[in-house]
Amino acid sequence: MFQAPRGTEDIRPEDQTTWRHIEKTITSFCRRYCFRRIDTPVFEDTRLFVRTVGEATDIVQKEMYTFKDRGGSEFTLRPEGTAPVCRAYIEHGMQNLPQPVKLYYFATIYRYERPQAGRYREHHQFGAEAIGDGDPALDAEVIDMAWGLFKALGLAKLTLQLNSIGCKQCRPAYLAKLVEYYQSRTSSLCEDCKTRATRNPLRLLDCKNAGCQAAAEDSPRSFDYLCPECHEHFERLKKYLGIMGIPFALNHRLVRGLDYYTKTVFEIQPEESGGQATLGGGGRYDDLIEELGGRPTPAVGFATGLERIVQNMKKQNLAPARTEGVDIFIAPIGDEDKLAALKLLADLRQKGFSVMLASGEKSLKAQMRQANAFSARQVVIIGEEELKAASVLLKDMARGGQGAVSMSELSSVLSARLKTEVKS
Ligand code: AMP
């Protein structure tokens, strides 16, 4: 028997109401915050990710789905959404549009990770990128949208963690301090972190290993080593968030898993998760576009995993009620009545109703059983007698009771009972 590949999941019909609700809420936020949708291909040139996400990151080292196509070109299923959007920004000359260019996407993301609760090999992200403006007000706006979005979905007990990891100018001095700090502590680090200490020292800070966490607690804090520009940016951002009423906690261990971030980084986490179930995160990436061959272009963005949102909504009993069952079920009594049933089926669907026809040649009793099995709300019974009188027998399954209704009045009666708007 085939199964969905490890680390992937089907989104079944019973969960679609929740997914659509989340997408609708997000889309409404994007409109209010003036972001426009972009869709990019599911695979890209592998070098796009190696160059931006970073050679030494877990994503590039261990997690990418990379393959050669039949023409011999090397591609990678996108392991994140920002680099493709920046590639598109450059490719389509969006630097010539009024800045900032604000784009959002819904995209499947692929990472070869060890599957566990809330961690998949294929997951869905919503991301928003504001490209072409270095104003900390834009960082605040992106954070405000992310925060507001989770609130609008009803999620409670969230914390916003904030850090600044500086820029090309100030980070080297900070990294030197960090490496120096860790030199006397290598014995308490996990094997991975021993190599990180030379290859990617920032990542020492967010290792989940207990010994590494303890060592990170007292490590030098990047926001104490910012250059005047980054310092000013961070101070203004904190002030703006204060004015906007968005509570945040400074976290000097927050560094994110991708190399392209500069200055601001942030994450939104459910309170009791201990950082294992981060709902979303993002930050500034002022060098990324230049790295890809574009003009120097500051930018800030955010992404969230839809599976994590669904998981948290379920945990907090916020998943919207599902509307299951069929609105209208048509049951023709005899063989000849099926023609009239098919006509009525087409007519009601045309008018906007959701309708199902009994399948096969069943007795009326068996048809009623089928209607019940599909939780039909209204059953239209068509028989010879009724047809002669240009009417049908309408059975109200939700409230009980049945009676004859003339064909000419049927759609307005159904519309009133089902509260469906009817197209004339
Ligand atoms: P990242 O691209 O790593 O910044 O992740 C952004 C968001 O995507 C995270 O905050 C999670 O909500 C979600 N996410 C990341 N990786 C996974 C995964 N493997 N499975 C499910 N959700 C994920």
Side-chain angles (χ1 to χ4, degrees), residues 197-245:
T198 47
R199 297 197 62 183
N200 197 358
L202 264 192
R203 295 310 309 269
L204 288 165
L205 297 174
D206 72 347
C207 179
K208 302 289 179 279
N209 181 286
C212 305
Q213 288 206 350
E217 210 39 64
D218 300 321
S219 63
R221 306 180 306 179
S222 52
F223 49 73
D224 292 330
Y225 294 85
L226 298 177
C227 62
E229 190 196 314
C230 289
H231 177 76
E232 170 69 10
H233 188 97
F234 197 41
E235 289 307 307
R236 281 171 58 189
L237 170 60
K238 288 188 286 182
K239 195 161 140 195
Y240 296 158
L241 290 176
I243 291 166
M244 292 163 122

Side-chain angles (χ1 to χ4, degrees), residues 59 79-81 109 111 113 118-125 256-258 260-261 267-268 277-282 303-309:
I59 291 181
E80 65 99 40
I109 301 290
R111 294 181 188 169
E113 300 200 77
R119 189 166 295 285
Y120 301 93
R121 290 183 174 167
E122 179 191 68
H123 73 275
H124 296 72
Q125 280 191 5
R256 315 276 296 125
L258 308 96
Y260 52 63
Y261 287 108
E267 276 185 3
I268 295 174
T278 303
L279 264 171
T304 173
L306 302 191
E307 283 82 358
R308 298 262 173 101
I309 298 182

